[in-house]
Amino acid sequence: MPGLLQSLQETLGKEAKPTAIQASSMKHLFKEHVEGEKYKEFLLASETGSGKSIAYLLPVLQDLKRTEHEQSNAVIHHSSRKPLNPRALVLAPTHELTRQLASFAKSLSHVIKLRVMCASKANTPSTAKSSGTASKMKGKFEEASAAIRHLKIFSWVKTVDLLVGTPMKLLEMERGRGWNWEERARERAMRIGKVKSEEHEDVKAEEGSNKELRREFWVDEPEMGLENVQWVVVDEADVLFDPDFQESTRMLLADIAAARGSPVPVIPSSALPSIPDSEATATTVQSISYPFNFLLTSATIPTSLATYLSNYHPSLTRLASPRLHHLPPTLRTEHTSWTGGNKNADIERRIRRVWAEDALVHSKTATSSGPIKLSKLLVFCNKRSKVEQLAAFLDSRGIKCVALTGGAEARKRGSNHHLDGFLKTGGPVPTGPGVCDPAQTPHVLVTTSLLSRGLDFSPMIKHVFIVDEPRNMIDFLHRAGRAGRAGEAGKVVVFGRAKGRGSGRTEEVRQRVKAVTG
């Protein structure tokens, strides 16, 4: 499609060549859907930084544009009176990633004029602006006339082709904010100690009785209809189908199937088979066929994902690149040892060593007397407390940094401005006094695995520090893969013990890292 090609060339340049996974995608996913033909089911698996977003966005956007006129009449005369009726959904695990994906999709579709929306934006309209108990909110709503209420819901109606969001956010938009109030009430009660675990089980046993929990959340009007959804992409599928997250993902997929007239069962996570293709599951597991095109992408295929797909989507086609489960060839690894003293001081020294190397390169290659462009660094820790502790130490040593964990207040602002200077953008590089000074402008981002999935960081981030032993190699691949992306050079520095207690484990990690760098 000419307009899509123009946007792609503006984004990547006219000389860009497809990666292995992009070439596979073009071969299999650009085929037009034939009436009566089974919907597409594909898994795109490739190493970090290989352009999986382009691999799925191009065929989705082209199909949306091609079928735009076919769908327009159906949308106009649709029975759904909900404000949003998207034709494609992209699911991602974090709000930061959904915002970046939506921005990238907009850049690809600006010529062909498709409408892309992110569910995690600060300006996303919502009908739930009040808080309080249900009885209080009921009184407020009863004061408003029916006409005003109707205007409130439909005053921001938008035509949307592609909607990007987290599964929980999209469930909230589709079912209405507060749809899971009972579950949240139980979790809140247990969290503050109002009920003990035994009492929690008693409440679950009495769900069929007349006894009910006191309602604490107002269930608002649904904002989104799912009847028009033709494509669903599950980005970072190894996370969204992880045992801790897959229930909400599968629940949303089942809601889409039901809205399109082909309901599928939602099996509790506890009842999912843990062994693929076993005799026990062969007679009890019923495969799932969704009434829409179903794409998954991932940089790794852990056992849990492989098992789920083998059992429930046996006909799904897996497209994998040759370097799956390996680091990009442009990413070098280095192992460094703790000195035995203050670990935070060791990290600071290693950061300053990176900047000293930058200064040396600048002195040899600079053609003007401009300021030295120091590398930006990404530091991964395992625990929130370690993130906050290390960030505070670096700040005290004159290294301004950004510390980001799941509960950080900056994440609630509806934009990715809290990551300015670290994420890759299409805009100009910031200039001005203090921009190159790490004491004034953050050059270090300290975080947990929260930011290790899918995000495309700036080429200025050439170093990733892994200061805590990775929980597993999948975790390591995702963290290390934030550098060395799209052919850029990068280095991952792994900290560990050279001798004494814990040195054996460090050597084991070293050997496992060596295995994924070949």
Side-chain angles (χ1 to χ4, degrees):
M1 185 173 289
L4 195 57
L5 178 61
Q6 179 184 338
S7 296
L8 185 64
Q9 291 176 338
E10 290 174 357
T11 303
L12 301 181
K14 294 184 178 181
E15 303 302 320
K17 296 182 179 180
T19 63
I21 195 63
Q22 291 166 355
S24 295
S25 169
M26 287 189 289
K27 179 179 179 180
H28 292 88
L29 297 182
F30 276 91
K31 298 177 182 178
E32 294 184 9
H33 178 74
V34 179
E35 188 69 28
E37 186 181 58
K38 186 179 178 182
Y39 285 101
K40 295 180 176 68
E41 279 189 307
F42 282 88
L43 167 65
L44 308 180
S46 182
E47 68 275 13
T48 59
S50 58
K52 292 184 290 296
S53 300
I54 290 178
Y56 69 75
L57 279 174
L58 289 182
V60 170
L61 293 174
Q62 175 158 304
D63 188 69
L64 289 176
K65 188 62 179 179
R66 183 181 61 80
T67 60
E68 185 175 38
H69 298 297
E70 300 173 16
Q71 293 289 319
S72 60
N73 292 334
V75 173
I76 293 172
H77 298 101
H78 208 284
S79 59
S80 174
R81 293 175 59 82
K82 299 182 180 71
L84 293 176
N85 290 281
R87 295 195 290 138
L89 299 177
V90 175
L91 316 183
T94 65
H95 294 300
E96 285 83 3
L97 181 54
T98 63
R99 294 169 191 141
Q100 190 174 61
L101 287 173
S103 177
F104 185 54
K106 288 179 181 178
S107 69
L108 289 178
S109 60
H110 78 95
V111 175
I112 59 176
K113 305 301 180 185
L114 288 176
R115 296 152 291 269
V116 178
M117 178 178 173
C118 179
S120 299
K121 288 289 188 181
N123 61 351
T124 300
S126 172
T127 56
K129 298 186 180 297
S130 302
S131 60
T133 63
S135 58
K136 291 180 180 179
M137 293 191 70
K138 181 180 179 183
K140 294 179 181 179
F141 273 85
E142 287 178 346
E143 294 175 0
S145 66
I148 295 178
R149 181 176 176 82
H150 184 274
L151 177 62
K152 179 181 180 181
I153 296 174
F154 294 103
S155 61
W156 61 280
V157 172
K158 290 184 179 181
T159 303
V160 176
D161 295 301
L162 176 66
L163 180 62
V164 189
T166 64
M168 284 302 296
K169 179 62 179 178
L170 296 180
L171 277 171
E172 179 182 279
M173 296 174 69
E174 175 247 328
R175 295 186 174 190
R177 180 174 292 187
W179 66 271
N180 58 341
W181 66 267
E182 188 175 8
E183 177 186 348
R184 291 164 60 192
R186 282 201 183 95
E187 291 177 352
R188 181 186 177 199
M190 292 188 72
R191 189 165 57 247
I192 64 179
K194 285 186 177 179
V195 291
K196 299 178 180 179
S197 58
E198 295 84 0
E199 296 171 335
H200 179 57
E201 294 300 322
D202 290 340
V203 171
K204 289 177 68 177
E206 293 179 7
E207 284 182 349
S209 67
N210 293 327
K211 183 177 180 180
E212 297 182 357
L213 291 174
R214 183 172 71 86
R215 185 163 175 157
E216 296 189 25
F217 296 90
W218 178 266
V219 181
D220 216 324
E221 291 287 340
E223 304 170 9
M224 177 173 65
L226 302 173
E227 296 89 336
N228 295 327
V229 174
Q230 293 277 342
W231 290 84
V232 177
V233 180
V234 181
D235 204 336
E236 301 299 322
D238 55 345
V239 178
L240 293 184
F241 279 99
D242 180 273
D244 293 333
F245 299 97
Q246 66 170 294
E247 198 138 340
S248 58
T249 303
R250 292 188 295 109
M251 194 180 299
L252 177 61
L253 294 173
D255 284 359
I256 301 170
R260 291 181 58 79
S262 300
V264 299
V266 181
I267 304 169
S269 297
S270 58
L272 292 175
S274 57
I275 303 174
D277 301 328
S278 66
E279 293 182 5
T281 60
T283 57
T284 58
V285 172
Q286 181 180 359
S287 63
I288 297 174
S289 181
Y290 291 121
F292 46 79
N293 297 300
F294 184 48
L295 306 183
L296 300 92
T297 71
S298 183
T300 58
I301 309 178
T303 303
S304 59
L305 178 61
T307 300
Y308 179 79
L309 296 179
S310 295
N311 287 330
Y312 292 96
H313 297 277
S315 62
L316 178 141
T317 302
R318 304 185 186 192
L319 304 178
S321 72
R323 291 194 60 83
L324 178 65
H325 293 157
H326 285 75
L327 291 177
T330 56
L331 184 60
R332 295 181 294 125
T333 58
E334 178 183 321
H335 296 267
T336 188
S337 302
W338 302 115
T339 61
N342 187 329
K343 289 186 175 181
N344 290 340
D346 289 345
I347 296 170
E348 180 202 353
R349 279 192 289 271
R350 192 64 184 82
I351 291 173
R352 295 193 184 279
R353 177 179 155 187
V354 169
W355 290 339
E357 293 169 353
D358 289 340
L360 181 61
V361 171
H362 178 81
S363 66
K364 293 180 178 180
T365 60
T367 57
S368 63
S369 59
I372 301 173
K373 292 184 179 180
L374 302 181
S375 299
K376 295 192 175 183
L377 299 96
L378 189 52
V379 182
F380 282 107
C381 306
N382 284 352
K383 296 182 179 180
R384 295 182 182 184
S385 57
K386 178 66 177 289
V387 169
E388 295 164 356
Q389 180 189 35
L390 176 58
F393 174 83
L394 294 176
D395 276 331
S396 71
R397 299 289 297 168
I399 298 177
K400 194 173 181 63
C401 57
V402 173
L404 199 70
T405 60
E409 190 65 29
R411 299 191 69 223
K412 303 175 183 178
R413 296 172 186 168
S415 72
N416 283 347
H417 287 309
H418 54 291
L419 297 176
D420 281 351
F422 292 98
L423 289 184
K424 186 175 183 179
T425 63
V429 177
T431 57
V435 169
C436 297
D437 183 359
Q440 299 183 52
T441 301
H443 277 59
V444 179
L445 173 60
V446 188
T447 186
T448 61
S449 288
L450 171 73
L451 299 184
S452 69
R453 303 297 180 123
L455 284 170
D456 202 4
F457 282 92
S458 165
M460 288 295 292
I461 294 185
K462 298 185 182 298
H463 290 75
V464 171
F465 285 10
I466 298 180
V467 301
D468 288 327
E469 180 184 304
R471 295 185 175 93
N472 51 59
M473 290 313 294
I474 287 178
D475 197 28
F476 171 80
L477 285 169
H478 282 284
R479 293 183 178 192
R482 294 315 98 198
R485 302 177 65 81
E488 294 281 349
K491 179 186 286 187
V492 53
V493 180
V494 185
F495 288 74
R497 293 182 180 276
K499 57 184 178 179
R501 184 179 180 182
S503 59
R505 179 61 181 164
T506 297
E507 179 58 27
E508 180 183 342
V509 170
R510 183 190 292 262
Q511 294 303 317
R512 295 174 72 182
V513 168
K514 184 178 180 180
V516 300
T517 57

